[in-house]
Amino acid sequence: MRPLQRWSWVWALVGTGVDMSTEAFDVAIKETLEDVSEVVFFLLGALTIVEIMDAHKGFDIITKSIKATKQRELLITIGVLTFVLSSVLNNLTVVIVMVSLLQKVVKDDEFRMKLGGLVVVASNAGGAWTPIGDITTTMLYIGGQVTTVPLLANLFVPSVLCLVGTLGYELAMMGDKPFERPAGASAKEDDVQPNGQAIVFWGGLFGMVSVPVFTAYTQCPAWCGMMLVLGLLGLVTSLLHDPHDEHFSMKGALTRVEVPDALFFLGVLFAVGGLERVGLLKEFAVALTNVCPYESLVAILLGFASAIVDNVPLVAAAQGMYDIADHPANAFLWNMITYCAATGGSLLVIGSAAGVAFMGMEKKVSFGWYVKSIGPAALAGYFLGVSGILGQQALGLSVS
């Protein structure tokens, strides 16, 4: 519980330094914990489902279909595949899967690192336009700032433009020569398909995609739908494998999920909730509006800030800064914040969990290398996506 304890001091200050009755404090802390727990349960369910799919080598179904032989062809294939997968799966997991794939497909270190950096950008762009693609988008979806259909309609084009801008910049700089694959074939055990590989992969994928539909029709919280999918997938795996084989089971998947990361999110959101309760975030929003009256510029600056500071507390703060009564669901401000927070982290390698994971998997990647080699392409994609949102708003094409 260390991540949660690390942030609980905010509520200690609220309880001792604010003129609030015991009853009011009790209600405030319970309501805040209830709200932020929805995000954590949703995230834990999604991560566990992906772990089950990965244990069954489900991603091999897609990655083994890559037959590219030239650099530009592989760049486009990897970029588009990453973008699509990240829209329905956790973008951190997609980066891990795609970088692992590149290490098996590309021998040249520099070219592989270049593709890996572009995978980070594509994964963050792909996660921006769906409720389940990125943790910050999920937070805004559960918080009611965005809803499913308007989110898809408003951010699909900007997210695609971000991908197009990034890949277009690199295609202009890259030659179209063949690339060399590592020598040697895969180990025999890597070619063994676990029992139920296709059922688990496509079932988990379809289940996660259907969660927003389940929420819309049943009016249940989004985490209920995700947990339902997890339960059904756990039932399927228990029928497919020996009860004592925990590698493929839901129990085994839960042991591999990064629970400390989920608790970190819980702690951050819990602390920001305390600041919201005492009105500090709203006061900051008023001051920020007085200094910078343009909502689009505020959102763009939040995107740059997310490249340096974790975007989770930034989005949580934005949710508390702006009242949903003044900025209703799917308003222009929320569209901008959703896009900028998700894709702004791509500008630096430390700006997103996906970037940090990439740096850990490719030991030769450094902060400076990323700024020089990936930063310009990421910046081009970021601003092209911003222009897409502004263009939609100017033409009256935004969906509310």
Side-chain angles (χ1 to χ4, degrees):
M1 294 295 290
R2 289 180 181 176
L4 183 56
Q5 292 171 346
R6 201 172 295 140
W7 294 98
S8 60
W9 62 269
V10 173
W11 279 95
L13 293 176
V14 171
T16 58
V18 178
D19 186 15
M20 184 182 292
S21 66
T22 303
E23 294 75 13
F25 178 79
D26 188 49
V27 171
I29 198 169
K30 285 182 178 179
E31 289 181 351
T32 302
L33 188 57
E34 179 182 349
D35 291 340
V36 301
S37 294
E38 290 189 11
V39 178
V40 176
F41 281 126
F42 185 95
L43 181 63
L44 283 175
L47 292 176
T48 308
I49 291 171
V50 171
E51 284 293 343
I52 295 175
M53 295 164 65
D54 188 46
H56 286 78
K57 297 183 179 180
F59 297 105
D60 288 357
I61 295 175
I62 295 178
T63 55
K64 285 184 177 180
S65 64
I66 298 177
K67 306 297 183 183
T69 58
K70 293 187 177 181
Q71 289 186 351
R72 287 185 174 179
E73 184 183 0
L74 183 63
L75 171 63
I76 296 173
T77 302
I78 292 296
V80 173
L81 181 58
T82 301
F83 181 87
V84 173
L85 287 177
S86 295
S87 66
V88 293
L89 299 175
N90 177 269
N91 52 5
L92 172 60
T93 301
V94 173
V95 166
I96 294 173
V97 170
M98 297 306 295
V99 173
S100 298
L101 166 70
L102 290 173
Q103 291 174 343
K104 298 177 183 178
V105 173
V106 181
K107 181 179 180 180
D108 180 69
D109 289 344
E110 184 64 26
F111 180 51
R112 187 181 66 247
M113 289 161 56
K114 173 77 73 173
L115 290 177
L118 297 175
V119 161
V120 173
V121 181
S123 68
N124 289 333
W129 66 281
T130 66
I132 58 177
D134 186 272
I135 179 60
T136 54
T137 312
T138 300
M139 288 164 55
L140 291 162
Y141 168 66
I142 293 177
Q145 284 81 18
V146 295
T147 55
T148 304
V149 175
L151 174 65
L152 301 180
N154 292 330
L155 290 192
F156 175 70
V157 171
S159 297
V160 170
L161 288 176
C162 180
L163 177 69
V164 170
T166 302
L167 296 186
Y169 183 94
E170 287 300 333
L171 287 173
M173 301 294 177
M174 182 182 296
D176 196 25
K177 59 183 180 181
F179 65 91
E180 186 177 357
R181 294 174 180 259
S186 301
K188 291 183 179 179
E189 59 267 21
D190 289 340
D191 295 329
V192 177
Q193 297 181 1
N195 188 29
Q197 180 190 46
I199 294 175
V200 171
F201 176 73
W202 293 114
L205 196 63
F206 175 78
M208 295 179 73
V209 172
S210 66
V211 168
V213 179
F214 171 86
T215 302
Y217 275 94
T218 65
Q219 303 302 311
C220 291
W223 67 267
C224 289
M226 192 63 73
M227 288 298 178
L228 176 61
V229 175
L230 175 59
L232 292 174
L233 200 62
L235 176 62
V236 170
T237 56
S238 67
L239 297 174
L240 290 172
H241 303 284
D242 187 283
H244 301 291
D245 189 352
E246 294 188 356
H247 178 70
F248 298 105
S249 68
M250 183 169 66
K251 179 181 177 181
L254 281 167
T255 62
R256 296 189 295 272
V257 171
E258 293 293 336
V259 176
D261 289 346
L263 292 179
F264 172 77
F265 293 139
L266 176 62
V268 170
L269 299 177
F270 191 52
V272 173
L275 298 177
E276 179 184 359
R277 289 288 175 174
V278 298
L280 288 177
L281 294 182
K282 284 186 172 58
E283 290 182 9
F284 179 73
V286 172
L288 186 61
T289 303
N290 291 333
V291 174
C292 181
Y294 302 103
E295 294 180 348
S296 56
L297 183 57
V298 171
I300 291 171
L301 293 176
L302 284 175
F304 279 103
S306 69
I308 303 171
V309 183
D310 191 273
N311 55 6
V312 171
L314 283 175
V315 170
Q319 288 178 295
M321 286 164 55
Y322 299 104
D323 197 326
I324 199 167
D326 299 324
H327 299 83
N330 306 307
F332 172 70
L333 175 65
W334 296 123
N335 292 333
M336 285 290 293
I337 289 177
T338 303
Y339 170 81
C340 293
T343 60
S346 303
L347 300 177
L348 296 177
V349 72
I350 61 172
S352 65
V356 174
F358 164 60
M359 189 164 53
M361 296 178 71
E362 287 286 359
K363 303 303 181 183
K364 294 183 180 180
V365 171
S366 64
F367 180 88
W369 177 89
Y370 188 93
V371 170
K372 179 181 178 181
S373 302
I374 306 298
L379 192 64
Y382 179 73
F383 277 116
L384 188 59
V386 167
S387 68
I389 299 180
L390 296 175
Q392 284 184 164
Q393 181 70 12
L395 295 172
L397 300 178
S398 297
V399 179
S400 59

